[in-house]
């Protein structure tokens, strides 16, 4: 752990350079599932950010005491605790949202992003850095979800955050709010982002 | 070292689990009342909607008040409940439970019928998992509002609810969601006819 941990760099990695969805292509199950409405995506993103940040933090806090061979059990335990907290919170204070997200709240437990961050970062880094790393990955996830959701909700329902923004004769693209719509948009985003990354790397190497 | 021993991991796991379980059960206990209340209010809203008495601007208290004052629960079949709308001592209408298979999962809800069992008052779905934007539109107002005041005295074959454009149709099916529309129609016919032929509840 000789390398210095720069919070700014951690943030940038999570949000852009190593964006969990676009470049690591993990956690896309829920990204495909809940993105037909912007509000759902936002709440899902916040919930995931909360869980990733705090579980990374907790994993890191306990890392010196955790025996290596049972660390995964401990990680899953910690993650599920935070997911259950989110689930209880939604049921108690946002019942509508809890219904809209349905099983996907519980499925945050299996989201690869959280386990990935715990294994790749939190288990070998100090708590505060892990907290930032987890939050960055979560926010990166949220950002991509929101981009997908903007396109899908606008084209599929003609609304933004539930507000009508299209003329009355707007024909909704039903395809967009069904699963295939998510695949198309996500694939396009990954394509564009990867192209951009490649072109940037080429630019650097020819210099 | 200590960490390598057999006992340490077991003790550690037990301790960590105990601590987190304690935290969760505490949270669960403190939020239990709020969650139950939410569920109850949600159901009350839906039953009021079936009787066309629901106003979106109603607060939680108003919903509960309206519900307590006007609606009675009656046991129906073995494990179901019919909600009875009363005015004074007089029965005005019933909210009859229905359920059946949908395209993706089972659908259930309540259909309102007046005391003479001749007109519908409204419909509301409790659980449905149809395709959003297609079959899922059964949960949206334009579809549900069609069930207000529908005359169900004209039977077509042995159906009282018929999707248009079939002869005698009284409900518009959802375009692009023929299956869902048919499932809903079938479960309504089955459960409603059963209720009507039983003469309602006493």
């Amino acid at each position: 752990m000789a390398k210095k941990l720069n919070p700014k760099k951690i943030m940038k990695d999570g949000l852009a350079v190593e964006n969990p969805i676009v470049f690591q292509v993990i956690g896309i199950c829920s990204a495909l599932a809940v993105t037909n409405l912007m509000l759902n995506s936002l709440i899902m993103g916040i919930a995931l950010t909360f869980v990733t940040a705090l579980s990374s933090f907790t994993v890191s806090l306990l890392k010196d005491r955790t025996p290596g061979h049972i660390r995964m059990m401990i990680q899953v335990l910690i993650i599920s605790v935070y997911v259950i907290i989110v689930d209880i919170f939604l049921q108690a204070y946002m019942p509508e949202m809890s219904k809209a997200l349905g099983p996907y709240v519980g499925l945050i437990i299996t989201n690869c992003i959280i386990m990935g961050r715990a294994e790749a970062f939190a288990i070998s880094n100090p708590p505060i850095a892990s907290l930032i790393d987890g939050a960055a990955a979560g926010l990166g996830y949220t950002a991509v979800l929101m981009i997908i959701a903007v396109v899908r909700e606008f084209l599929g329902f003609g609304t933004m955050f539930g507000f009508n923004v299209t003329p009355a004769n707007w024909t909704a693209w039903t395809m967009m709010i069904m699963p295939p719509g998510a695949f198309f948009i996500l694939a396009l985003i990954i394509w564009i982002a990867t192209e951009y990354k490649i072109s940037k790397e080429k630019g650097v190497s020819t210099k | 070292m200590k960490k390598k021993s057999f006992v340490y991991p077991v003790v550690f796991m037990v301790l960590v689990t105990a601590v987190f379980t304690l935290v969760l059960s505490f949270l669960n206990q403190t939020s239990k009342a709020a969650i139950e209340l939410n569920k109850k209010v949600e159901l009350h809203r839906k039953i009021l909607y079936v009787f066309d008495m629901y106003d979106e601007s109603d607060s939680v208290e108003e919903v509960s008040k309206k519900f307590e004052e006007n609606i009675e629960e009656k046991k129906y079949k073995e494990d179901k409940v019919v909600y009875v709308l009363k005015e004074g001592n007089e029965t005005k209408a019933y909210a009859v439970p229905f359920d059946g298979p949908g395209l993706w999962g089972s659908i259930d809800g309540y259909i309102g019928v007046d005391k003479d069992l001749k007109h519908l008052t409204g419909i509301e779905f409790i659980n449905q998992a149809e395709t959003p934007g297609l079959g899922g539109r059964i949960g949206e107002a334009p579809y549900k509002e069609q069930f207000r005041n529908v005359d169900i005295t004209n039977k077509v074959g042995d159906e009282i609810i018929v999707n248009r454009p079939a002869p005698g149709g009284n409900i518009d099916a959802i375009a692009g969601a023929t299956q869902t529309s048919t499932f809903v129609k079938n479960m309504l016919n089955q459960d409603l006819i059963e209720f009507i032929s039983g003469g309602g509840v006493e």
Side-chain angles (χ1 to χ4, degrees), chain A residues 129-207:
Chain A
S130 303
L131 182 78
I132 298 172
D133 175 73
L139 291 173
Y141 169 88
T142 312
V144 177
L145 247 66
M146 289 310 290
I147 297 172
I148 303 175
V150 168
V151 180
R152 289 184 71 192
E153 184 175 340
F154 178 69
L155 295 178
F157 288 109
T159 57
M160 294 262 178
F161 276 115
F163 294 108
N164 210 336
V165 291
T166 44
N169 60 359
W170 171 262
T171 309
W173 299 18
T174 309
M175 169 76 103
M176 277 300 150
I177 46 182
M178 298 201 300
F183 280 99
F184 288 133
I185 304 298
L186 181 60
L188 281 175
I189 291 175
I190 294 179
W191 180 21
I192 294 168
T194 312
E195 276 297 316
Y196 176 73
K197 201 180 184 184
I198 291 172
S199 72
K200 220 175 140 193
E201 275 164 9
K202 267 187 193 156
V204 169
S205 61
T206 48
K207 235 179 231 170

Side-chain angles (χ1 to χ4, degrees), chain B residues 97-155:
Chain B
F98 64 85
D99 58 71
L103 186 61
W104 300 123
S106 49
I107 299 177
D108 62 81
Y110 287 89
I111 177 93
V113 59
D114 68 1
K115 68 167 193 304
D116 304 323
L117 308 174
K118 283 186 177 138
H119 289 86
L120 300 180
T121 63
I123 191 172
E124 179 64 283
F125 297 91
I126 306 289
N127 296 301
Q128 57 98 354
E130 300 307 289
T131 322
L134 288 173
R137 297 192 116 148
I138 54 172
E140 291 174 15
Y143 183 76
K144 292 189 296 193
E145 285 297 322
Q146 299 187 81
F147 287 84
R148 300 263 188 242
N149 234 343
V150 168
D151 187 347
I152 50 169
T153 48
N154 298 319
K155 266 198 177 186

Side-chain angles (χ1 to χ4, degrees), chain A residues 36 58 63-67 69-70 73-74 77-78 81 84-85 88 91-93 95-96 99 174 177-178, chain B residues 3 8-10 12-13 16-17 20 23-24 27-28 31 34-35 38-39 42 46 126 131-134 140:
Chain A
N36 56 11
T58 316
K63 71 175 188 299
D64 294 332
R65 305 196 173 279
T66 314
H69 59 294
I70 61 162
M73 280 157 70
I74 300 283
L77 180 78
I78 292 168
V81 166
I84 295 170
I85 292 176
I88 291 178
Q91 278 186 39
Y93 302 105
E96 288 300 313
K99 260 176 63 192
T174 309
I177 46 182
M178 298 201 300
Chain B
K3 265 201 212 174
Y8 179 77
V10 177
F12 183 77
M13 194 74 206
V16 171
T17 313
F20 282 128
V23 171
L24 280 188
L27 279 176
N28 188 37
S31 59
I35 293 174
N38 283 339
K39 283 193 180 151
E42 170 82 15
K46 290 192 162 178
I126 306 289
T131 322
L134 288 173
E140 291 174 15

Side-chain angles (χ1 to χ4, degrees), chain B:
Chain B
M1 271 277 300
K2 212 173 137 211
K3 265 201 212 174
K4 292 260 173 178
S5 78
F6 175 75
V7 184
Y8 179 77
V10 177
V11 173
F12 183 77
M13 194 74 206
V14 169
L15 265 181
V16 171
T17 313
V19 170
F20 282 128
T21 314
L22 208 70
V23 171
L24 280 188
S25 39
F26 173 74
L27 279 176
N28 188 37
Q29 213 57 38
T30 49
S31 59
K32 216 173 178 178
I35 293 174
E36 300 260 298
L37 181 73
N38 283 339
K39 283 193 180 151
K40 215 171 98 186
V41 172
E42 170 82 15
L43 182 68
H44 288 182
R45 277 180 204 274
K46 290 192 162 178
I47 299 300
L48 287 174
Y49 180 84
V50 167
F51 293 132
D52 205 5
M53 291 167 61
Y54 174 55
D55 190 343
E56 245 175 73
S57 57
D58 281 355
S59 68
V60 173
E61 291 79 33
E62 282 170 314
V63 168
S64 301
K65 192 166 158 261
K66 254 192 205 173
F67 190 89
E68 313 268 291
E69 277 175 5
N70 298 302
I71 294 166
E72 250 179 51
E73 287 180 30
K74 282 262 165 71
K75 264 188 92 166
Y76 175 60
K77 291 206 249 181
E78 261 152 46
D79 50 350
K80 289 182 181 156
V81 172
V82 166
Y83 293 91
V84 184
L85 177 65
K86 298 249 176 172
E87 209 174 72
N89 274 329
E90 209 182 326
T91 299
K92 297 281 285 182
Y94 307 100
V96 184
F98 64 85
D99 58 71
L103 186 61
W104 300 123
S106 49
I107 299 177
D108 62 81
Y110 287 89
I111 177 93
V113 59
D114 68 1
K115 68 167 193 304
D116 304 323
L117 308 174
K118 283 186 177 138
H119 289 86
L120 300 180
T121 63
I123 191 172
E124 179 64 283
F125 297 91
I126 306 289
N127 296 301
Q128 57 98 354
E130 300 307 289
T131 322
L134 288 173
R137 297 192 116 148
I138 54 172
E140 291 174 15
Y143 183 76
K144 292 189 296 193
E145 285 297 322
Q146 299 187 81
F147 287 84
R148 300 263 188 242
N149 234 343
V150 168
D151 187 347
I152 50 169
T153 48
N154 298 319
K155 266 198 177 186
V156 179
D158 49 7
E159 297 191 324
I160 49 176
I161 290 166
V162 180
N163 285 334
R164 275 193 283 258
N170 41 22
I171 298 295
D172 279 331
I174 297 168
T178 313
Q179 295 233 42
T180 300
S181 309
T182 310
F183 280 128
V184 170
K185 181 202 74 175
N186 288 345
M187 67 184 79
L188 284 176
N189 278 323
Q190 198 183 353
D191 291 344
L192 204 52
I193 289 172
E194 194 184 332
F195 180 81
I196 291 171
S197 57
V201 287
E202 82 292 345

Side-chain angles (χ1 to χ4, degrees), chain A residues 41-119:
Chain A
S41 313
L42 185 65
I43 300 291
M44 186 70 184
I46 293 171
L48 189 115
T49 309
F50 170 83
V51 175
T52 319
L54 287 180
S55 58
S56 279
F57 179 73
T58 316
V59 165
S60 180
L61 267 186
L62 292 174
K63 71 175 188 299
D64 294 332
R65 305 196 173 279
T66 314
H69 59 294
I70 61 162
R71 67 176 195 287
M72 288 223 172
M73 280 157 70
I74 300 283
Q75 286 166 11
V76 173
L77 180 78
I78 292 168
I79 295 166
S80 45
V81 166
Y82 287 112
V83 172
I84 295 170
I85 292 176
V86 169
D87 195 29
I88 291 178
F89 177 82
L90 287 180
Q91 278 186 39
Y93 302 105
M94 304 176 81
E96 288 300 313
M97 195 44 68
S98 171
K99 260 176 63 192
L101 293 177
Y104 295 102
V105 176
L107 284 174
I108 294 178
I109 294 176
T110 60
N111 195 307
C112 323
I113 297 173
I114 307 170
M115 197 75 182
R117 287 338 285 169
E119 268 292 292

